[in-house]
Amino acid sequence: MIALIVAYSQNRIIGNQGIIPWKIKGEQKRFKELTTGNVVVMGRRSYEEIGKPLPNRMTIVVSRTRKFEGENCYTVSSLKDAIELAGEKDVYISGGAKLYEEAIPIVKKMYVTEIEKVIDGDTYFPDFDENSFIKEINERIETDISYSYVTYTRKS
C-alpha cells in the first residue's frame, strides 16, 4: 500500500522556514503507530529537519543533491525509485510539499492530522480533489490546540 501521512493546520500549513511550526503533545503518536515496521519516504529538507533515520522502519530520502546513509536509511533520486526500493512493504510518504504533490495522484490512503488552528508558515499541503476520497474522522483530541485524525481513502 502506498499512503501519505501529514499534519496540517486549518490553512493547510505544514512548515515554516524548514521546520514544523507547532509543538502539540501527542500529535505525532499516530505517525509512529502507522509507520513503525514499514517504509517512510521523505524529501531531503524533511529528513534534514529530523536529522537521522527513524528507528524501527526503513527511511528513504528523495534527493538529487545529497546522499544520506545509515542503518535502514537510503537515498534515491525520485519517488518512483523510492517505491521500487520499498518492495512489498507499506510505504508512507511524509513530506515535504513537492513530494506530497507528486504522491497524491498515486496514494490509496492519506492519513491526515487536521490541526484546528490557523498557523503562520510558508509551506502548504497541496490542494487535492476531496471528491476522489472517502473521508473518515477517526478520532478528535482536545488539548490546548485540538486536532483530529482523519483518513482519506481513495474511491475505487
Side-chain angles (χ1 to χ4, degrees):
M1 178 194 63
I2 300 170
L4 68 74
I5 188 162
V6 64
Y8 58 67
S9 64
Q10 283 179 332
N11 52 333
R12 293 220 179 184
I13 290 292
I14 60 172
N16 190 25
Q17 298 181 358
I19 61 167
I20 296 172
W22 56 77
K23 295 258 190 272
I24 304 171
K25 187 176 179 175
E27 180 263 321
Q28 294 185 343
K29 178 181 122 189
R30 187 181 196 204
F31 181 90
K32 184 176 182 181
E33 288 173 354
L34 287 169
T35 63
T36 297
N38 293 300
V39 178
V40 177
V41 176
M42 66 185 76
R44 175 188 55 81
R45 285 184 274 184
S46 296
Y47 181 78
E48 287 174 341
E49 181 188 352
I50 297 167
K52 63 184 188 296
L54 297 168
N56 304 314
R57 59 212 105 173
M58 176 189 245
T59 302
I60 302 175
V61 182
V62 178
S63 175
R64 290 187 177 92
T65 59
R66 294 207 41 209
K67 188 159 181 78
F68 301 94
E69 294 178 354
E71 187 176 344
N72 285 325
C73 182
Y74 307 89
T75 304
V76 296
S77 60
S78 70
L79 178 58
K80 180 179 180 280
D81 290 345
I83 291 167
E84 287 176 9
L85 180 60
E88 297 298 313
K89 292 187 176 183
D90 287 345
V91 174
Y92 292 87
I93 297 151
S94 65
K98 288 180 185 173
L99 211 51
Y100 285 138
E101 187 173 1
E102 188 178 348
I104 288 170
I106 64 168
V107 297
K108 298 256 186 277
K109 290 187 181 258
M110 296 194 300
Y111 296 96
V112 179
T113 301
E114 294 181 346
I115 297 167
E116 298 172 15
K117 183 176 181 179
V118 172
I119 296 176
D120 290 333
D122 58 16
T123 309
Y124 294 82
F125 187 77
D127 288 330
F128 64 96
D129 180 8
E130 288 192 35
N131 294 322
S132 296
F133 295 87
I134 298 166
K135 179 180 181 177
E136 177 185 359
I137 299 171
N138 306 106
E139 184 179 3
R140 184 171 186 274
I141 294 90
E142 293 195 34
T143 63
D144 54 333
I145 301 174
S146 296
Y147 58 93
S148 296
Y149 292 137
V150 179
T151 302
Y152 290 88
T153 304
R154 187 172 302 280
K155 294 177 182 175
S156 308

